[in-house]
Amino acid sequence: MKDRRRFLAPRDLWDAGTIEAWLEEKAAQGWILEKWGISARFERIDPCRCRVRLDPKDRRNRQQQAEAETLYRDMGWRWNGTLWFYDVYYCFDPTVPDLYTDPETQAWAWGKLLKRALWRSGLSGLLLLLWAALQFDGLWSGHAVQLFLMGMWAIWLFVILDVVREVWEAVRTVWGIRRLKRRLAAGVPMERGDPARAVRRQRIRQIADWTAIALLAGWILVIACGREEMPLSDAPEPLPCVALEALDPEAAGPELDIARYETFDGLLIQSRRVTQFRWQPSVSVQAELDRVALVSFAEDLYRERVGAFLDAWPNAEVRELTDGRFDQAVVIGAGKNQLFAARLGRMVLTERAETDTDLMDHLDGFAAVLAELQ
């Protein structure tokens, strides 16, 4: 027979009366608290009736705390570890006086606890907001639409739900401690709820938490598995771009430093990307063809790609195109740095090139790419 065992415990730590009742039930079943962590660990004892009290910590200085612990021990109360911001005391003698003589005296201790809970909640809230802001930094990167389409929407949703839940739990904790303090100050003893119901509530929360974590981990795995990369020479035809060999045959002649083909297949977007690059003499092509779930997404992605180029080259020449082969199209040039961007229905083609060739001379090639890959 095991001498130690873990139990799923109530986690509404502001509801001290219910937790005390739960710990007393466990003692009656032959288990006494050994350690409170992710789960509550108990060690076996002879089943017995006892009283359990949660005493708020850190309301006294060191000398006062030492004197209080000595007094409690002499009275017959056994210290059995800490639980969040409580000290846990057991008493197996029914004739021993309680830790507090009346609810009004007890209210003072919970007043100190309330101040500590407010301070902790404020600090935790600031750290939580900082963490959330770091998760949303992509919104200010100039690629928010692309990140959203490639799966970040699910991660952002998880962050929002997690922040809302944590804020709600902090509010419930502060409100619960304040309510308990007022109740005690009015001379009303601490209320005790149903321990079994509290454990069921915690089980539901735990199932919800692990389900959310599993879904998030699965989604991240789906995103990772949706990516594939290969040498451009192994890429299937037709290529989703006007390749460097067609744009500038002379510049494409020498061997390139990078010739890569990448794909991404997600729930909202299918993306094909070609990168051709050489350091000396400097020449490059970076093309992306994206098929998205909705026309509105395609419009947003088109505007984002054009805006990102203009942010990098604010003085570039913009030439809007009126061409029946595209729903939207533009050629933007800043010297050798050029961008062709076009949208046709739910497809968006962008090709950024560093070459002396004018991309306006290759509109037929771009139109052919969109027609072939419709």
Side-chain angles (χ1 to χ4, degrees), residues 128 159-170 205 208-209:
L128 186 65
V159 171
I160 291 172
L161 294 176
D162 188 59
V163 168
V164 170
R165 190 198 66 169
E166 292 297 328
V167 169
W168 171 244
E169 289 297 329
R205 288 179 194 153
D209 288 346

Side-chain angles (χ1 to χ4, degrees), residues 54-359:
L54 302 184
D55 190 33
K57 296 173 50 143
D58 298 340
R59 68 186 188 280
R60 311 179 181 92
N61 59 37
R62 287 188 177 181
Q63 181 178 351
Q64 291 172 334
Q65 183 64 27
E67 291 174 354
E69 290 176 359
T70 300
L71 175 63
Y72 292 163
R73 185 171 56 251
D74 292 343
M75 289 171 59
W77 288 90
R78 166 183 167 180
W79 180 84
N80 238 73
T82 60
L83 186 162
W84 200 30
F85 37 54
Y86 297 110
D87 284 314
V88 183
Y89 289 93
Y90 280 78
C91 182
F92 301 92
D93 185 349
T95 65
V96 168
D98 214 320
L99 292 182
Y100 295 93
T101 57
D102 53 65
E104 289 86 349
T105 305
Q106 197 174 10
W108 171 82
W110 259 260
K112 296 288 186 178
L113 178 59
L114 177 60
K115 292 180 180 179
R116 185 180 180 191
L118 284 168
W119 184 84
R120 279 196 172 190
S121 297
L123 179 60
S124 299
L126 288 176
L127 294 175
L128 186 65
L129 289 176
L130 177 61
W131 171 76
L134 292 174
Q135 310 311 309
F136 285 94
D137 63 345
L139 292 175
W140 295 272
S141 67
H143 304 285
V145 176
Q146 181 173 343
L147 289 172
F148 176 86
L149 294 173
M150 296 186 76
M152 279 299 293
W153 64 269
I155 297 173
W156 290 336
L157 178 61
F158 175 84
V159 171
I160 291 172
L161 294 176
D162 188 59
V163 168
V164 170
R165 190 198 66 169
E166 292 297 328
V167 169
W168 171 244
E169 289 297 329
V171 170
R172 288 181 73 235
T173 297
V174 171
W175 181 85
I177 294 173
R178 176 173 292 172
R179 177 176 175 270
L180 179 57
K181 175 183 174 295
R182 290 176 177 175
R183 180 185 180 93
L184 294 171
V188 181
M190 185 180 296
E191 186 179 14
R192 291 193 163 197
D194 180 3
R197 184 178 178 185
V199 170
R200 284 196 300 271
R201 261 198 320 266
Q202 178 57 24
R203 182 172 289 108
I204 292 172
R205 288 179 194 153
Q206 195 174 66
I207 291 172
D209 288 346
W210 282 111
T211 299
I213 292 171
L215 289 174
L216 180 63
W219 183 247
I220 293 173
L221 183 62
V222 167
I223 293 175
C225 293
R227 297 179 180 274
E228 187 176 359
E229 181 178 328
M230 66 185 72
L232 185 58
S233 57
D234 296 337
E237 295 289 345
L239 289 177
C241 68
V242 177
L244 183 59
E245 291 80 2
L247 290 178
D248 194 342
E250 293 183 5
E255 184 177 353
L256 298 173
D257 294 311
I258 297 175
R260 184 172 61 233
Y261 179 75
E262 300 168 81
T263 67
F264 176 79
D265 293 319
L267 183 64
L268 299 178
I269 189 172
Q270 293 179 325
S271 181
R272 303 293 180 263
R273 181 171 182 170
V274 170
T275 303
Q276 295 178 282
F277 176 81
R278 187 176 60 246
W279 283 104
Q280 293 295 334
S282 181
V283 64
S284 68
V285 164
Q286 190 172 71
E288 286 187 80
L289 180 66
D290 302 286
R291 181 182 286 106
V292 298
L294 299 172
V295 172
S296 59
F297 289 159
E299 293 171 348
D300 291 338
L301 184 60
Y302 172 82
R303 285 193 294 268
E304 181 176 83
R305 296 274 172 78
V306 172
F309 188 87
L310 289 174
D311 287 342
W313 305 95
N315 297 319
E317 178 187 3
V318 179
R319 291 174 283 180
E320 296 280 354
L321 304 179
T322 303
D323 191 317
R325 295 173 294 182
F326 314 113
D327 293 330
Q328 294 173 278
V330 66
V331 175
I332 307 174
K336 292 181 62 174
N337 291 285
Q338 302 174 75
L339 174 76
F340 170 81
R343 181 185 67 82
L344 181 61
R346 296 185 294 113
M347 296 180 66
V348 177
L349 172 64
T350 56
E351 185 157 335
R352 181 171 177 170
E354 184 184 0
T355 176
D356 292 322
T357 301
D358 190 347
L359 296 186

